[in-house]
Amino acid sequence: MNKLHAELDANNEDFNPNIKLPARFIGSHAWTSEKTADAMVLGQRFGKSTFWHSDLQSRLA
């Protein structure tokens, strides 16, 4: 990445490495934050998920 920055500086082009992708890009920071917030709201409204918890525990044991 440093080589790319050096080449862009040499060409005197504007380059911003701190690009923020919107939530519609799967895997972006905004997308992850949105999905995490959605999961927390579901947990708050419906309580702990017992089915998945017990299924996971049985697989780990």
Side-chain angles (χ1 to χ4, degrees):
M1 198 66 169
N2 290 336
K3 184 178 179 182
L4 175 63
H5 288 187
E7 288 176 13
L8 289 173
D9 286 340
N11 294 335
N12 202 15
E13 294 180 23
D14 292 329
F15 178 72
N16 183 5
N18 299 320
I19 298 171
K20 294 184 180 180
L21 296 173
R24 67 176 179 249
F25 286 89
I26 296 174
S28 68
H29 182 70
W31 179 83
T32 306
S33 297
E34 186 177 287
K35 296 303 175 191
T36 302
D38 290 347
M40 285 194 256
V41 168
L42 288 173
Q44 186 179 30
R45 287 190 184 164
F46 300 112
K48 285 177 106 176
S49 174
T50 56
F51 173 74
W52 296 109
H53 184 263
S54 62
D55 182 51
L56 180 62
Q57 289 294 337
S58 65
R59 290 179 185 216
L60 292 175

